[in-house]
């Protein structure tokens, strides 16, 4: 089986089907998003990164999900309006999907198979996330699934998953890594 993102077709927030094949040759950052999460301000850093590096081949793809504490309850129209109004998001955003569990979209099944959960880092935010999830949501903490909103996957220009970045790590904290990969 092809272990690249290029075989997937996804529906944009406006309802148009997009083949991820169109991103062949680009460095792709895939992120599951939510509008009512404590991490929602990461949209700002993601948009800044997109603006700074899109001409060098970076594309960011946002996938809203309502799986974590109901933090993305809106319709596609509401999500699009929120992202535009509050963060000026101009990178591609797609229809709400499930990103973990038995009903996870096949794209996310592939992403987490290729880059399983290796734990949170030893930063203060990493320790907080580990404590929060292991105590309050042990079923989410177990296994390789996406742990929370704003989990990021870096996909190389060949369509293969290179790295997984956990939600506690903000865009500005891995920008140097993106610069190196471009």
């Amino acid at each position: 089986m092809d272990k690249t993102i290029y075989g997937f077709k996804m529906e944009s927030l406006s309802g148009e089907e997009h083949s991820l094949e169109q991103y062949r040759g680009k460095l792709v950052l895939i992120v599951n998003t939510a509008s009512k999460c404590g991490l929602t301000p990461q949209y700002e850093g993601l948009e800044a990164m997109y603006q700074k590096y899109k001409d060098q081949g970076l594309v960011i793809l946002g996938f809203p999900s309502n799986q974590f504490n109901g933090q993305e309850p809106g319709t596609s129209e509401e999500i699009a309006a929120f992202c535009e109004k509050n963060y000026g998001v101009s990178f591609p955003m797609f229809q709400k999907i499930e990103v973990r569990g038995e009903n996870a979209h096949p794209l996310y099944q592939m992403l987490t198979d290729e880059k399983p959960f290796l734990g949170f880092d030893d930063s203060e935010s990493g320790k907080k996330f580990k404590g929060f999830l292991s105590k309050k949501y042990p079923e989410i903490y177990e296994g390789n699934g996406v742990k929370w909103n704003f989990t990021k996957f870096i996909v190389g220009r060949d369509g293969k998953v290179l790295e997984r970045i956990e939600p506690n790590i903000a865009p500005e904290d891995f920008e140097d890594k993106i610069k190196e990969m471009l």
Side-chain angles (χ1 to χ4, degrees):
M1 188 180 122
D2 183 21
K3 298 282 189 182
T4 72
I5 65 168
Y6 300 135
F8 294 100
K9 289 182 169 54
M10 307 301 291
E11 202 173 314
S12 71
L13 283 179
S14 61
E16 299 162 18
E17 186 176 83
H18 292 273
S19 170
L20 299 189
E21 173 69 36
Q22 70 182 315
Y23 303 114
R24 186 178 291 275
K26 302 228 180 236
L27 184 68
V28 179
L29 183 66
I30 295 176
V31 56
N32 63 297
T33 62
S35 300
K36 299 184 183 312
C37 176
L39 300 174
T40 300
Q42 284 192 24
Y43 270 131
E44 187 174 345
L46 291 167
E47 179 62 22
M49 183 182 286
Y50 179 63
Q51 290 301 323
K52 192 169 183 181
Y53 299 109
K54 68 182 180 179
D55 293 339
Q56 295 170 49
L58 175 68
V59 67
I60 297 175
L61 306 179
F63 291 93
S65 179
N66 196 38
Q67 285 188 280
F68 302 101
N69 217 14
Q71 295 178 341
E72 188 57 277
T75 65
S76 294
E77 294 78 20
E78 290 167 338
I79 293 166
F82 173 87
C83 289
E84 170 63 30
K85 178 180 177 224
N86 293 292
Y87 297 101
V89 170
S90 64
F91 56 82
M93 292 286 295
F94 295 87
Q95 295 283 330
K96 199 177 337 184
I97 60 171
E98 290 196 17
V99 297
R100 64 170 286 112
E102 61 185 42
N103 295 320
H105 189 281
L107 171 64
Y108 268 84
Q109 290 173 8
M110 190 270 291
L111 293 170
T112 55
D113 284 349
E114 291 298 300
K115 289 298 171 193
F117 179 62
L118 299 176
F120 290 101
D121 63 12
D122 286 334
S123 68
E124 196 60 41
S125 63
K127 291 175 186 172
K128 282 182 183 174
F129 248 97
K130 180 180 180 179
F132 168 71
L133 289 177
S134 60
K135 288 181 181 79
K136 193 160 182 175
Y137 299 102
E139 72 284 0
I140 291 176
Y141 188 70
E142 295 302 315
N144 288 323
V146 169
K147 300 303 172 206
W148 207 254
N149 304 309
F150 294 91
T151 298
K152 282 97 47 200
F153 292 89
I154 301 173
V155 178
R157 292 178 185 269
D158 61 357
K160 294 186 175 158
V161 187
L162 299 175
E163 193 162 336
R164 174 178 175 154
I165 300 170
E166 296 306 330
N168 63 299
I169 301 174
E172 50 274 15
D173 295 331
F174 64 90
E175 182 177 348
D176 286 346
K177 189 174 296 200
I178 294 292
K179 274 198 310 201
E180 288 171 24
M181 292 178 170
L182 287 169

